[in-house]
Amino acid sequence: MGKFRSAYASLYKTARKVLKVLGVPVNETSNYPRIELHSFVENGAMDKGDSVRQVTLTVEAMSSKSASEAVSLIEGSLERVVAENLGLAKDGFRVFGVEQVQLQDITENSDSQQIIYRMLQTLTVFIETI
Amino acid sequence: MGAKLGNANRLYLKSTSSYVWVGGEQNNTNNRTAEAINTSDKSSEYNTYISGSKDGNISATIFQDDSNDAQKAAFAAFKAGDVVDWFVGEIGENNLPRSGEAGKGIITSISDTNNRGEVASRSLEIQKSGAPTFYPAS
């Protein structure tokens, strides 16, 4: 049996790269608008061959301008993460399913009275080694 | 003590001439039973028994993978009603059984479960037929 490899790092790097196409910062600034990838949880392998994995993560789109900007960003994010092949093959993985678990809308008033519009999409990504 | 994880004891089916792991296996259960024949008479108030016929079956839950040779062998045997060669345990050098149990059997059930949002899975049932071989030999 080979050495166990985590799928999380590969998924994080690839998802960050594909979301940058939307033209806003991804996990690199505290400015708005932006997208954050967070709350990754990779469960242990689901089979005796350590092949099948399940990773949950949250994609968060934030805007200080309008709710519709946050909605557009989350829609764009899902289009890329869910519909496109994330291309983890170079790391020896294959994504064979993405499930949209929960979409949540939060409107926040900060101390400075700035309104922040946030859209949080929790995803479960199914991955196997190749 | 030689405790080990259940991960080590896998289900293999013979495909062509060698054992092939049933890829995507999550778990298996290897049952062995012996019939208890009641030989009691009125000389004692307690029942007495002798061991009768031995039997057994194997069940496993696996992820569906129609490209896996062992899963293909299971389907082929199921359709044709053929006997399969099974092994549950650890394979050693030269793809030979190191520890566990091997024997012949028939596939009595292949059930697929296809739930939304879950990995498509398959349960496999094998009825043992004839005497098994235990490894290492005792």
PDB file of all heavy atoms in Angstrom, chain B residues 67-95:
ATOM      1  N   SER B  67     -14.876  -1.232 -13.625  1.00  0.00           N
ATOM      2  CA  SER B  67     -13.610  -1.526 -14.303  1.00  0.00           C
ATOM      3  C   SER B  67     -12.732  -2.454 -13.464  1.00  0.00           C
ATOM      4  O   SER B  67     -11.698  -2.926 -13.924  1.00  0.00           O
ATOM      5  CB  SER B  67     -12.842  -0.227 -14.591  1.00  0.00           C
ATOM      6  OG  SER B  67     -12.437   0.374 -13.378  1.00  0.00           O
ATOM      7  N   ASN B  68     -13.150  -2.726 -12.227  1.00  0.00           N
ATOM      8  CA  ASN B  68     -12.343  -3.587 -11.358  1.00  0.00           C
ATOM      9  C   ASN B  68     -12.534  -5.053 -11.747  1.00  0.00           C
ATOM     10  O   ASN B  68     -13.671  -5.525 -11.859  1.00  0.00           O
ATOM     11  CB  ASN B  68     -12.761  -3.346  -9.898  1.00  0.00           C
ATOM     12  CG  ASN B  68     -12.050  -4.271  -8.930  1.00  0.00           C
ATOM     13  OD1 ASN B  68     -12.592  -5.280  -8.531  1.00  0.00           O
ATOM     14  ND2 ASN B  68     -10.825  -3.937  -8.576  1.00  0.00           N
ATOM     15  N   ASP B  69     -11.430  -5.769 -11.935  1.00  0.00           N
ATOM     16  CA  ASP B  69     -11.497  -7.155 -12.419  1.00  0.00           C
ATOM     17  C   ASP B  69     -12.252  -8.074 -11.463  1.00  0.00           C
ATOM     18  O   ASP B  69     -12.964  -8.984 -11.895  1.00  0.00           O
ATOM     19  CB  ASP B  69     -10.092  -7.697 -12.665  1.00  0.00           C
ATOM     20  CG  ASP B  69      -9.500  -7.149 -13.960  1.00  0.00           C
ATOM     21  OD1 ASP B  69     -10.282  -6.640 -14.796  1.00  0.00           O
ATOM     22  OD2 ASP B  69      -8.270  -7.210 -14.122  1.00  0.00           O
ATOM     23  N   ALA B  70     -12.103  -7.844 -10.167  1.00  0.00           N
ATOM     24  CA  ALA B  70     -12.797  -8.709  -9.202  1.00  0.00           C
ATOM     25  C   ALA B  70     -14.305  -8.455  -9.234  1.00  0.00           C
ATOM     26  O   ALA B  70     -15.101  -9.396  -9.131  1.00  0.00           O
ATOM     27  CB  ALA B  70     -12.240  -8.473  -7.803  1.00  0.00           C
ATOM     28  N   GLN B  71     -14.687  -7.192  -9.374  1.00  0.00           N
ATOM     29  CA  GLN B  71     -16.132  -6.894  -9.469  1.00  0.00           C
ATOM     30  C   GLN B  71     -16.693  -7.464 -10.771  1.00  0.00           C
ATOM     31  O   GLN B  71     -17.820  -7.966 -10.808  1.00  0.00           O
ATOM     32  CB  GLN B  71     -16.373  -5.382  -9.374  1.00  0.00           C
ATOM     33  CG  GLN B  71     -16.049  -4.817  -7.994  1.00  0.00           C
ATOM     34  CD  GLN B  71     -16.619  -3.417  -7.775  1.00  0.00           C
ATOM     35  OE1 GLN B  71     -17.660  -3.064  -8.308  1.00  0.00           O
ATOM     36  NE2 GLN B  71     -15.930  -2.623  -6.970  1.00  0.00           N
ATOM     37  N   LYS B  72     -15.901  -7.393 -11.821  1.00  0.00           N
ATOM     38  CA  LYS B  72     -16.345  -7.982 -13.101  1.00  0.00           C
ATOM     39  C   LYS B  72     -16.482  -9.501 -12.965  1.00  0.00           C
ATOM     40  O   LYS B  72     -17.431 -10.107 -13.474  1.00  0.00           O
ATOM     41  CB  LYS B  72     -15.350  -7.636 -14.222  1.00  0.00           C
ATOM     42  CG  LYS B  72     -15.458  -6.191 -14.679  1.00  0.00           C
ATOM     43  CD  LYS B  72     -14.787  -5.965 -16.020  1.00  0.00           C
ATOM     44  CE  LYS B  72     -13.310  -5.799 -15.896  1.00  0.00           C
ATOM     45  NZ  LYS B  72     -12.658  -5.324 -17.119  1.00  0.00           N
ATOM     46  N   ALA B  73     -15.534 -10.112 -12.252  1.00  0.00           N
ATOM     47  CA  ALA B  73     -15.581 -11.570 -12.059  1.00  0.00           C
ATOM     48  C   ALA B  73     -16.819 -11.960 -11.255  1.00  0.00           C
ATOM     49  O   ALA B  73     -17.450 -12.991 -11.524  1.00  0.00           O
ATOM     50  CB  ALA B  73     -14.310 -12.041 -11.348  1.00  0.00           C
ATOM     51  N   ALA B  74     -17.164 -11.129 -10.275  1.00  0.00           N
ATOM     52  CA  ALA B  74     -18.353 -11.418  -9.457  1.00  0.00           C
ATOM     53  C   ALA B  74     -19.611 -11.378 -10.312  1.00  0.00           C
ATOM     54  O   ALA B  74     -20.470 -12.258 -10.214  1.00  0.00           O
ATOM     55  CB  ALA B  74     -18.449 -10.404  -8.317  1.00  0.00           C
ATOM     56  N   PHE B  75     -19.710 -10.376 -11.174  1.00  0.00           N
ATOM     57  CA  PHE B  75     -20.879 -10.267 -12.045  1.00  0.00           C
ATOM     58  C   PHE B  75     -20.950 -11.439 -13.023  1.00  0.00           C
ATOM     59  O   PHE B  75     -22.021 -12.010 -13.261  1.00  0.00           O
ATOM     60  CB  PHE B  75     -20.853  -8.947 -12.819  1.00  0.00           C
ATOM     61  CG  PHE B  75     -21.678  -7.876 -12.169  1.00  0.00           C
ATOM     62  CD1 PHE B  75     -21.064  -6.798 -11.566  1.00  0.00           C
ATOM     63  CD2 PHE B  75     -23.065  -7.949 -12.140  1.00  0.00           C
ATOM     64  CE1 PHE B  75     -21.814  -5.811 -10.939  1.00  0.00           C
ATOM     65  CE2 PHE B  75     -23.826  -6.975 -11.518  1.00  0.00           C
ATOM     66  CZ  PHE B  75     -23.199  -5.892 -10.919  1.00  0.00           C
ATOM     67  N   ALA B  76     -19.809 -11.790 -13.580  1.00  0.00           N
ATOM     68  CA  ALA B  76     -19.778 -12.887 -14.553  1.00  0.00           C
ATOM     69  C   ALA B  76     -20.213 -14.192 -13.902  1.00  0.00           C
ATOM     70  O   ALA B  76     -21.013 -14.952 -14.462  1.00  0.00           O
ATOM     71  CB  ALA B  76     -18.370 -13.021 -15.139  1.00  0.00           C
ATOM     72  N   ALA B  77     -19.719 -14.439 -12.684  1.00  0.00           N
ATOM     73  CA  ALA B  77     -20.072 -15.671 -11.980  1.00  0.00           C
ATOM     74  C   ALA B  77     -21.547 -15.663 -11.584  1.00  0.00           C
ATOM     75  O   ALA B  77     -22.231 -16.688 -11.637  1.00  0.00           O
ATOM     76  CB  ALA B  77     -19.199 -15.824 -10.735  1.00  0.00           C
ATOM     77  N   PHE B  78     -22.032 -14.486 -11.186  1.00  0.00           N
ATOM     78  CA  PHE B  78     -23.447 -14.358 -10.791  1.00  0.00           C
ATOM     79  C   PHE B  78     -24.351 -14.690 -11.971  1.00  0.00           C
ATOM     80  O   PHE B  78     -25.320 -15.446 -11.846  1.00  0.00           O
ATOM     81  CB  PHE B  78     -23.699 -12.932 -10.296  1.00  0.00           C
ATOM     82  CG  PHE B  78     -25.119 -12.659  -9.903  1.00  0.00           C
ATOM     83  CD1 PHE B  78     -25.631 -13.114  -8.693  1.00  0.00           C
ATOM     84  CD2 PHE B  78     -25.956 -11.934 -10.733  1.00  0.00           C
ATOM     85  CE1 PHE B  78     -26.941 -12.858  -8.321  1.00  0.00           C
ATOM     86  CE2 PHE B  78     -27.265 -11.671 -10.375  1.00  0.00           C
ATOM     87  CZ  PHE B  78     -27.765 -12.138  -9.170  1.00  0.00           C
ATOM     88  N   LYS B  79     -24.014 -14.122 -13.132  1.00  0.00           N
ATOM     89  CA  LYS B  79     -24.863 -14.332 -14.319  1.00  0.00           C
ATOM     90  C   LYS B  79     -24.818 -15.781 -14.786  1.00  0.00           C
ATOM     91  O   LYS B  79     -25.834 -16.360 -15.164  1.00  0.00           O
ATOM     92  CB  LYS B  79     -24.421 -13.388 -15.447  1.00  0.00           C
ATOM     93  CG  LYS B  79     -24.915 -11.963 -15.226  1.00  0.00           C
ATOM     94  CD  LYS B  79     -24.720 -11.105 -16.443  1.00  0.00           C
ATOM     95  CE  LYS B  79     -23.362 -10.470 -16.428  1.00  0.00           C
ATOM     96  NZ  LYS B  79     -23.177  -9.440 -17.455  1.00  0.00           N
ATOM     97  N   ALA B  80     -23.608 -16.365 -14.735  1.00  0.00           N
ATOM     98  CA  ALA B  80     -23.451 -17.732 -15.242  1.00  0.00           C
ATOM     99  C   ALA B  80     -23.765 -18.795 -14.191  1.00  0.00           C
ATOM    100  O   ALA B  80     -23.915 -19.971 -14.513  1.00  0.00           O
ATOM    101  CB  ALA B  80     -22.011 -17.914 -15.743  1.00  0.00           C
ATOM    102  N   GLY B  81     -23.843 -18.377 -12.926  1.00  0.00           N
ATOM    103  CA  GLY B  81     -24.048 -19.357 -11.853  1.00  0.00           C
ATOM    104  C   GLY B  81     -22.788 -20.150 -11.563  1.00  0.00           C
ATOM    105  O   GLY B  81     -22.855 -21.255 -11.020  1.00  0.00           O
ATOM    106  N   ASP B  82     -21.661 -19.587 -11.907  1.00  0.00           N
ATOM    107  CA  ASP B  82     -20.385 -20.287 -11.704  1.00  0.00           C
ATOM    108  C   ASP B  82     -19.898 -20.186 -10.257  1.00  0.00           C
ATOM    109  O   ASP B  82     -20.277 -19.283  -9.518  1.00  0.00           O
ATOM    110  CB  ASP B  82     -19.304 -19.677 -12.604  1.00  0.00           C
ATOM    111  CG  ASP B  82     -19.524 -20.017 -14.060  1.00  0.00           C
ATOM    112  OD1 ASP B  82     -20.273 -20.978 -14.338  1.00  0.00           O
ATOM    113  OD2 ASP B  82     -18.956 -19.311 -14.914  1.00  0.00           O
ATOM    114  N   VAL B  83     -19.025 -21.121  -9.931  1.00  0.00           N
ATOM    115  CA  VAL B  83     -18.356 -21.092  -8.628  1.00  0.00           C
ATOM    116  C   VAL B  83     -17.227 -20.070  -8.683  1.00  0.00           C
ATOM    117  O   VAL B  83     -16.530 -19.966  -9.704  1.00  0.00           O
ATOM    118  CB  VAL B  83     -17.805 -22.500  -8.288  1.00  0.00           C
ATOM    119  CG1 VAL B  83     -16.872 -22.461  -7.089  1.00  0.00           C
ATOM    120  CG2 VAL B  83     -18.965 -23.461  -8.033  1.00  0.00           C
ATOM    121  N   VAL B  84     -17.048 -19.320  -7.599  1.00  0.00           N
ATOM    122  CA  VAL B  84     -15.918 -18.376  -7.536  1.00  0.00           C
ATOM    123  C   VAL B  84     -14.922 -18.852  -6.477  1.00  0.00           C
ATOM    124  O   VAL B  84     -15.282 -19.552  -5.538  1.00  0.00           O
ATOM    125  CB  VAL B  84     -16.370 -16.934  -7.163  1.00  0.00           C
ATOM    126  CG1 VAL B  84     -17.177 -16.307  -8.266  1.00  0.00           C
ATOM    127  CG2 VAL B  84     -17.147 -16.918  -5.848  1.00  0.00           C
ATOM    128  N   ASP B  85     -13.670 -18.469  -6.675  1.00  0.00           N
ATOM    129  CA  ASP B  85     -12.638 -18.704  -5.668  1.00  0.00           C
ATOM    130  C   ASP B  85     -12.475 -17.410  -4.885  1.00  0.00           C
ATOM    131  O   ASP B  85     -12.152 -16.379  -5.466  1.00  0.00           O
ATOM    132  CB  ASP B  85     -11.306 -19.083  -6.331  1.00  0.00           C
ATOM    133  CG  ASP B  85     -11.368 -20.443  -6.967  1.00  0.00           C
ATOM    134  OD1 ASP B  85     -11.233 -21.432  -6.241  1.00  0.00           O
ATOM    135  OD2 ASP B  85     -11.588 -20.506  -8.203  1.00  0.00           O
ATOM    136  N   TRP B  86     -12.680 -17.477  -3.580  1.00  0.00           N
ATOM    137  CA  TRP B  86     -12.584 -16.275  -2.752  1.00  0.00           C
ATOM    138  C   TRP B  86     -11.468 -16.415  -1.735  1.00  0.00           C
ATOM    139  O   TRP B  86     -11.038 -17.529  -1.393  1.00  0.00           O
ATOM    140  CB  TRP B  86     -13.912 -15.998  -2.033  1.00  0.00           C
ATOM    141  CG  TRP B  86     -14.426 -17.165  -1.224  1.00  0.00           C
ATOM    142  CD1 TRP B  86     -15.306 -18.116  -1.641  1.00  0.00           C
ATOM    143  CD2 TRP B  86     -14.035 -17.530   0.114  1.00  0.00           C
ATOM    144  NE1 TRP B  86     -15.501 -19.032  -0.647  1.00  0.00           N
ATOM    145  CE2 TRP B  86     -14.744 -18.691   0.442  1.00  0.00           C
ATOM    146  CE3 TRP B  86     -13.184 -16.982   1.058  1.00  0.00           C
ATOM    147  CZ2 TRP B  86     -14.604 -19.330   1.675  1.00  0.00           C
ATOM    148  CZ3 TRP B  86     -13.039 -17.601   2.287  1.00  0.00           C
ATOM    149  CH2 TRP B  86     -13.748 -18.767   2.584  1.00  0.00           C
ATOM    150  N   PHE B  87     -11.023 -15.285  -1.255  1.00  0.00           N
ATOM    151  CA  PHE B  87     -10.035 -15.264  -0.171  1.00  0.00           C
ATOM    152  C   PHE B  87     -10.310 -14.025   0.674  1.00  0.00           C
ATOM    153  O   PHE B  87     -10.518 -12.941   0.144  1.00  0.00           O
ATOM    154  CB  PHE B  87      -8.605 -15.214  -0.728  1.00  0.00           C
ATOM    155  CG  PHE B  87      -7.565 -14.957   0.328  1.00  0.00           C
ATOM    156  CD1 PHE B  87      -7.276 -15.926   1.276  1.00  0.00           C
ATOM    157  CD2 PHE B  87      -6.905 -13.735   0.403  1.00  0.00           C
ATOM    158  CE1 PHE B  87      -6.344 -15.685   2.282  1.00  0.00           C
ATOM    159  CE2 PHE B  87      -5.965 -13.493   1.396  1.00  0.00           C
ATOM    160  CZ  PHE B  87      -5.682 -14.466   2.341  1.00  0.00           C
ATOM    161  N   VAL B  88     -10.316 -14.208   1.989  1.00  0.00           N
ATOM    162  CA  VAL B  88     -10.458 -13.069   2.906  1.00  0.00           C
ATOM    163  C   VAL B  88      -9.238 -13.067   3.816  1.00  0.00           C
ATOM    164  O   VAL B  88      -8.988 -14.046   4.530  1.00  0.00           O
ATOM    165  CB  VAL B  88     -11.736 -13.170   3.768  1.00  0.00           C
ATOM    166  CG1 VAL B  88     -11.794 -11.993   4.758  1.00  0.00           C
ATOM    167  CG2 VAL B  88     -12.975 -13.181   2.895  1.00  0.00           C
ATOM    168  N   GLY B  89      -8.475 -12.012   3.763  1.00  0.00           N
ATOM    169  CA  GLY B  89      -7.284 -11.939   4.609  1.00  0.00           C
ATOM    170  C   GLY B  89      -6.219 -11.072   3.998  1.00  0.00           C
ATOM    171  O   GLY B  89      -6.513 -10.121   3.269  1.00  0.00           O
ATOM    172  N   GLU B  90      -4.971 -11.432   4.293  1.00  0.00           N
ATOM    173  CA  GLU B  90      -3.839 -10.658   3.791  1.00  0.00           C
ATOM    174  C   GLU B  90      -3.083 -11.458   2.741  1.00  0.00           C
ATOM    175  O   GLU B  90      -2.762 -12.632   2.962  1.00  0.00           O
ATOM    176  CB  GLU B  90      -2.881 -10.313   4.933  1.00  0.00           C
ATOM    177  CG  GLU B  90      -3.446  -9.334   5.925  1.00  0.00           C
ATOM    178  CD  GLU B  90      -2.428  -8.986   6.998  1.00  0.00           C
ATOM    179  OE1 GLU B  90      -1.567  -8.134   6.742  1.00  0.00           O
ATOM    180  OE2 GLU B  90      -2.494  -9.588   8.078  1.00  0.00           O
ATOM    181  N   ILE B  91      -2.794 -10.791   1.643  1.00  0.00           N
ATOM    182  CA  ILE B  91      -2.012 -11.409   0.569  1.00  0.00           C
ATOM    183  C   ILE B  91      -0.534 -11.114   0.812  1.00  0.00           C
ATOM    184  O   ILE B  91      -0.168 -10.004   1.211  1.00  0.00           O
ATOM    185  CB  ILE B  91      -2.457 -10.837  -0.801  1.00  0.00           C
ATOM    186  CG1 ILE B  91      -3.852 -11.353  -1.180  1.00  0.00           C
ATOM    187  CG2 ILE B  91      -1.447 -11.149  -1.897  1.00  0.00           C
ATOM    188  CD1 ILE B  91      -3.916 -12.799  -1.632  1.00  0.00           C
ATOM    189  N   GLY B  92       0.291 -12.113   0.582  1.00  0.00           N
ATOM    190  CA  GLY B  92       1.732 -11.934   0.785  1.00  0.00           C
ATOM    191  C   GLY B  92       2.486 -11.924  -0.525  1.00  0.00           C
ATOM    192  O   GLY B  92       1.974 -11.474  -1.556  1.00  0.00           O
ATOM    193  N   GLU B  93       3.700 -12.448  -0.459  1.00  0.00           N
ATOM    194  CA  GLU B  93       4.569 -12.453  -1.643  1.00  0.00           C
ATOM    195  C   GLU B  93       3.987 -13.323  -2.753  1.00  0.00           C
ATOM    196  O   GLU B  93       3.300 -14.299  -2.497  1.00  0.00           O
ATOM    197  CB  GLU B  93       5.963 -12.971  -1.266  1.00  0.00           C
ATOM    198  CG  GLU B  93       6.751 -11.981  -0.416  1.00  0.00           C
ATOM    199  CD  GLU B  93       8.111 -12.524  -0.034  1.00  0.00           C
ATOM    200  OE1 GLU B  93       8.514 -13.574  -0.585  1.00  0.00           O
ATOM    201  OE2 GLU B  93       8.766 -11.902   0.806  1.00  0.00           O
ATOM    202  N   ASN B  94       4.311 -12.942  -3.956  1.00  0.00           N
ATOM    203  CA  ASN B  94       3.865 -13.657  -5.153  1.00  0.00           C
ATOM    204  C   ASN B  94       2.342 -13.774  -5.241  1.00  0.00           C
ATOM    205  O   ASN B  94       1.807 -14.727  -5.800  1.00  0.00           O
ATOM    206  CB  ASN B  94       4.494 -15.053  -5.225  1.00  0.00           C
ATOM    207  CG  ASN B  94       5.999 -14.985  -5.247  1.00  0.00           C
ATOM    208  OD1 ASN B  94       6.572 -14.117  -5.914  1.00  0.00           O
ATOM    209  ND2 ASN B  94       6.648 -15.864  -4.502  1.00  0.00           N
ATOM    210  N   ASN B  95       1.675 -12.810  -4.629  1.00  0.00           N
ATOM    211  CA  ASN B  95       0.213 -12.758  -4.669  1.00  0.00           C
ATOM    212  C   ASN B  95      -0.429 -14.007  -4.061  1.00  0.00           C
ATOM    213  O   ASN B  95      -1.518 -14.416  -4.456  1.00  0.00           O
ATOM    214  CB  ASN B  95      -0.275 -12.553  -6.108  1.00  0.00           C
ATOM    215  CG  ASN B  95      -1.645 -11.906  -6.156  1.00  0.00           C
ATOM    216  OD1 ASN B  95      -1.973 -11.075  -5.319  1.00  0.00           O
ATOM    217  ND2 ASN B  95      -2.444 -12.313  -7.118  1.00  0.00           N
TER     218      ASN B  95
END
